[in-house]
Amino acid sequence: DRGGRRLNWLWQYSKAEIRMFFPKATGPAAKAGYMFQVSTFQLAILMLFNQDSGPGTGYESADGPTLTFDQIVAATELDKDIVLDELALFCKARVMNSNTANKATEKSQYTLNAGFKSKQMRINLSRAKKSDQKKEAKDMQRAVAVDRSASIQAAIVRIMKARKQLPHRELIQATIENIKLFHPQVTDIKQSIDKLIDTGYLERDENTRDLYKYLA
């Protein structure tokens, strides 16, 4: 939050590429590895299986390190549901193996699939998360709407506290001029006025319904 402006990281739009080498790979993949396109969350999990950055044990084994679900959650600081979804996707894509019949559970231990094979050298793992991206985008839009509603209400209170009473049109115009970070819609301003009336900050004049009064 800087100067009244809030920045929100849109994780659902974040992408990365990671080159992975599997111990038992053959042919071109043995030298060049596979290039995976992943989301930021997926990248955070996969990097834990890197010998230089991971918290697990068994990096010296042919199959690479083994990590528990709890280790992955603790290291990434991601929600458990997110981690479980990503691990389930990795197991389904055969990028990882679990010790629970290759199913992703909170009790499972995970290793990279040392024998991973694919005809494609570039593999997109992030596209499977489009439904989650849409949900996160809607959640972000709702959060922005809530923040803007609060800003509009705060502006109206400031104006009415100073002016004490204003006709409807003048209050709408003053609110638009008062807010600099975004252009408020008239419908949103009207809704904010109604909320302030409901919460006891404003009232309509009994004789002139188009006139609002500030309630100290």
Side-chain angles (χ1 to χ4, degrees):
D1 195 336
R2 182 179 177 85
R5 302 190 181 192
R6 178 178 297 176
L7 299 179
N8 293 298
W9 192 281
L10 301 179
W11 299 104
Q12 68 272 17
Y13 299 116
S14 301
K15 296 288 186 295
E17 288 189 342
I18 179 171
R19 189 180 300 277
M20 296 180 64
F21 296 86
F22 295 88
K24 298 180 182 179
T26 59
K31 292 183 178 181
Y34 293 98
M35 183 67 76
F36 289 93
Q37 185 181 54
V38 295
S39 69
T40 306
F41 292 163
Q42 291 171 336
L43 177 65
I45 294 172
L46 290 174
M47 287 298 292
L48 300 180
F49 291 84
N50 185 341
Q51 184 172 357
D52 295 330
S53 58
T57 59
Y59 289 98
E60 70 285 352
S61 72
D63 293 328
T66 297
L67 297 178
T68 66
F69 177 82
D70 289 338
Q71 282 179 308
I72 295 172
V73 171
T76 60
E77 298 184 0
L78 295 172
D79 291 341
K80 287 186 176 182
D81 289 342
I82 293 176
V83 173
L84 199 59
D85 286 346
E86 300 295 3
L87 290 173
L89 187 149
F90 290 146
C91 288
K92 184 177 180 180
R94 310 299 295 179
V95 175
M96 284 188 187
N97 292 327
S98 77
N99 64 342
T100 51
N102 220 33
K103 301 294 183 181
T105 74
E106 293 188 14
K107 301 297 183 182
S108 304
Q109 294 182 343
Y110 300 89
T111 60
L112 291 178
N113 179 9
F116 176 82
K117 292 182 181 180
S118 175
K119 293 181 180 179
Q120 297 178 324
M121 299 297 291
R122 296 180 63 87
I123 301 166
N124 189 352
L125 291 177
S126 64
R127 61 187 173 188
K129 306 300 291 182
K130 286 185 178 180
S131 60
D132 289 345
Q133 292 174 6
K134 291 180 180 179
K135 179 181 181 300
E136 290 178 14
K138 289 181 179 179
D139 290 344
M140 183 61 66
Q141 289 173 355
R142 282 194 289 267
V144 170
V146 170
D147 286 344
R148 289 190 172 186
S149 178
S151 296
I152 293 172
Q153 291 180 52
I156 293 172
V157 169
R158 287 194 301 270
I159 293 166
M160 292 301 295
K161 188 174 182 179
R163 304 285 290 276
K164 303 305 180 186
Q165 64 179 31
L166 274 178
H168 177 77
R169 289 187 178 180
E170 290 186 30
L171 179 55
I172 294 290
Q173 186 60 37
T175 303
I176 293 174
E177 293 174 356
N178 188 270
I179 296 176
K180 306 299 183 182
L181 297 180
F182 61 93
H183 182 75
Q185 301 298 311
V186 173
T187 54
D188 293 333
I189 297 175
K190 290 180 178 178
Q191 290 176 359
S192 294
I193 291 173
D194 290 338
K195 289 179 181 178
L196 291 171
I197 291 174
D198 292 340
T199 53
Y201 284 92
L202 303 179
E203 68 174 1
R204 287 187 173 89
D205 185 82
E206 293 183 359
N207 299 318
T208 307
R209 302 298 292 172
D210 195 40
L211 181 66
Y212 301 109
K213 294 181 177 181
Y214 177 73
L215 300 177

